[in-house]
Amino acid sequence: MSISEAKHFELIQIAHISAGNILVFILGFAGVVLLFIKRFKETFLLIPIFLIGIMALKGGNRFAMYLSPFIGMGIGYFLDELITYISFKRKLNTFYHYAISLIVIFLVVTVFLFSNKESFSFVAKPKITPSLEENFIKLQDLTPLNSWIWTWWDYGTAIQYLAARAVFHDGQSQGSPKTYFVATSFSSPDPQIARNIILGISNIGAEGIKELSENGKTPEEIKKLIFSGAFSKPVNNPIYWAFTEDLIGKFAWINFFGTWDFQTKRGKKAPIVPLVCKKSSAEKLNCGNIIINLKEGKIEQQQKAFPLRKIIIKDGPKIIERDYHHQGFYFEIVNKNKVSHFFLMEEQPYKSMFNQMFILRNYDKRYFELVYDNFPTMVLFKVK
């Protein structure tokens, strides 16, 4: 499951994100069920929304947002019943009734704030950074109005809104066969295949894939047809391939779908790992919990060592390579605007179009034209 909010959480986690802790969750849940039972006529219209919230207990954790208000309602119901009981039992006058109410409310709010102190200290970060939003808006200047943008689905809707450009892939289509082909363009080591995928999907789309399937073509046969360029006819709309900074963290999942084997039903979930490094000596880089030994070509972690196959240094248009061992990891140093970016990966992600075109900007000019280079925020290519 690559969509974090669609993953299933256990009861403890659901309780934590919807109420702060399990005790408050149980109290609120019991309270709202009791409220529905005792005041069914007044509350029955809310029951369908409550049932959607309950889906968080069996389905995706995203449904917890519907559950949280009902947990609050349940606690409120118990609070109201408690105040009413105290006032009735003690036969309090109006003054004492309100005084007791304020004291009980104060105590409950204090307990609630204490149990949710982590939530109040949490500072949410925007899903789209200001720099990335600025680059999406800039697409209006970089591309003609009738352009189509090829990229991963997460920000497809945002691009449509901010850039007023059509996209191949967004949150509404991420469950379609297009997801596989968009992913393969990123994970493929072959620029011609990547270009054939983009032009092929441009010509036949999801409907064309469906038609091929209905005519008896297997997924593997459809894949081979598109990869071979059978549908790579020219299109009237200019097509641009956008690589964005968020995709570095998402690449493992993109690669998983892009390397999917229809026989084994498996893909390769190989990440490109960004590192924060600083020099610890002339020949060593300290990258958190690992040391990159530039002299011996190895990764040192605690008492273990792993070989480096190659170190790649990109400084402006120059790409310098240092070969070390016949196998091992690839370590990249990308210098841009006086800032160094460090990445560690296996061979397959290293050869992928995502790494070659986006991180190294090493592309085949027969198939692509570099239009905009604002690495690491966004790099844009025109598909020839």
Side-chain angles (χ1 to χ4, degrees), residues 225-263:
L225 283 170
I226 292 176
F227 280 22
S228 68
F231 306 110
S232 297
K233 299 175 184 177
V235 293
N236 294 326
N237 299 68
I239 303 169
Y240 293 84
W241 192 354
F243 297 85
T244 51
E245 59 185 343
D246 60 293
L247 299 184
I248 296 172
K250 299 168 184 173
F251 180 77
W253 275 111
I254 295 173
N255 197 62
F256 176 77
F257 296 126
T259 57
W260 187 260
D261 189 304
F262 294 107
Q263 301 299 321

Side-chain angles (χ1 to χ4, degrees), residues 32-43 77 81:
V32 77
V33 171
L34 195 59
L35 173 64
F36 285 138
I37 294 171
K38 287 201 167 189
R39 301 188 182 180
F40 179 76
K41 289 183 178 180
E42 296 95 327
T43 60
Y77 175 71
E81 289 291 301

Side-chain angles (χ1 to χ4, degrees), residues 127-138:
K127 286 292 185 182
I128 302 180
T129 63
S131 57
L132 189 53
E133 181 178 8
E134 181 183 350
N135 276 236
F136 285 161
I137 295 172
K138 193 176 180 66

Side-chain angles (χ1 to χ4, degrees), residues 284 289-293 296-309 325 327-329 344:
K284 288 188 177 183
N289 63 340
I290 65 172
I291 301 293
I292 304 295
N293 190 318
E296 299 179 20
K298 64 181 180 180
I299 304 165
E300 300 169 359
Q301 186 175 34
Q302 297 176 349
Q303 303 300 317
K304 297 180 180 179
F306 305 92
L308 282 173
R309 168 70 180 84
H325 305 282
Q327 59 182 4
F329 290 91
L344 186 65

Side-chain angles (χ1 to χ4, degrees), residues 7 27 54 73 102 115 124 150 161 203 205 218 254 294-295:
K7 293 178 180 177
L27 182 65
I54 289 179
M73 285 173 58
L102 289 173
S115 65
W150 180 274
Y161 174 71
N203 278 289
T218 66
I254 295 173
L294 302 175
K295 182 178 180 180

Side-chain angles (χ1 to χ4, degrees), residues 62-333:
R62 58 171 52 149
F63 295 109
M65 70 174 121
Y66 295 99
L67 189 57
S68 297
F70 290 99
I71 300 300
M73 285 173 58
I75 294 171
Y77 175 71
F78 274 136
L79 178 61
D80 181 66
E81 289 291 301
L82 176 63
I83 294 171
T84 302
Y85 173 78
I86 293 173
S87 299
F88 178 77
K89 191 77 173 176
R90 299 291 183 180
K91 297 181 180 179
L92 301 176
N93 60 32
T94 303
F95 173 80
Y96 285 108
H97 172 79
Y98 284 117
I100 291 292
S101 299
L102 289 173
I103 292 171
V104 172
I105 291 171
F106 175 78
L107 290 174
V108 170
V109 170
T110 301
V111 171
F112 177 77
L113 291 175
F114 180 78
S115 65
N116 285 276
K117 58 183 179 180
E118 291 183 8
S119 300
F120 290 100
S121 63
F122 174 74
V123 178
K125 296 180 180 179
K127 286 292 185 182
I128 302 180
T129 63
S131 57
L132 189 53
E133 181 178 8
E134 181 183 350
N135 276 236
F136 285 161
I137 295 172
K138 193 176 180 66
L139 285 171
Q140 296 184 33
D141 300 323
L142 295 170
T143 64
L145 183 61
N146 65 334
S147 299
W148 295 344
I149 308 298
W150 180 274
T151 192
W152 193 237
W153 67 266
D154 288 71
Y155 289 149
T157 303
I159 292 172
Q160 292 175 74
Y161 174 71
L162 295 169
R165 297 294 182 268
V167 297
F168 288 85
H169 205 210
D170 57 23
Q172 291 70 50
S173 64
Q174 57 90 13
S176 75
K178 286 191 293 184
T179 299
Y180 168 73
F181 287 105
V182 174
T184 53
S185 68
F186 282 100
S187 62
S188 173
D190 190 325
Q192 185 177 14
I193 287 178
R195 198 275 303 263
N196 285 343
I197 292 169
I198 296 171
L199 290 181
I201 298 301
S202 300
N203 278 289
I204 67 171
E207 287 298 318
I209 297 171
K210 182 180 178 181
E211 185 178 337
L212 288 169
S213 181
E214 289 174 348
N215 289 336
K217 297 291 185 185
T218 66
E220 188 66 34
E221 289 172 333
I222 296 171
K223 165 188 167 181
K224 287 180 179 178
L225 283 170
I226 292 176
F227 280 22
S228 68
F231 306 110
S232 297
K233 299 175 184 177
V235 293
N236 294 326
N237 299 68
I239 303 169
Y240 293 84
W241 192 354
F243 297 85
T244 51
E245 59 185 343
D246 60 293
L247 299 184
I248 296 172
K250 299 168 184 173
F251 180 77
W253 275 111
I254 295 173
N255 197 62
F256 176 77
F257 296 126
T259 57
W260 187 260
D261 189 304
F262 294 107
Q263 301 299 321
T264 63
K265 308 295 184 184
R266 296 180 65 182
K268 185 177 178 62
K269 195 178 176 184
I272 292 176
V273 182
L275 299 172
V276 178
C277 304
K278 59 182 180 180
K279 275 194 173 184
S280 57
S281 68
E283 296 293 340
K284 288 188 177 183
L285 289 173
N286 187 334
C287 305
N289 63 340
I290 65 172
I291 301 293
I292 304 295
N293 190 318
L294 302 175
K295 182 178 180 180
E296 299 179 20
K298 64 181 180 180
I299 304 165
E300 300 169 359
Q301 186 175 34
Q302 297 176 349
Q303 303 300 317
K304 297 180 180 179
F306 305 92
L308 282 173
R309 168 70 180 84
K310 184 178 290 191
I311 289 180
I312 303 93
I313 303 170
K314 178 175 174 58
D315 196 350
K318 289 184 178 180
I319 295 180
I320 302 168
E321 298 183 2
R322 292 186 194 173
D323 291 308
Y324 291 96
H325 305 282
H326 293 297
Q327 59 182 4
F329 290 91
Y330 288 71
F331 181 67
E332 295 178 350
I333 304 172

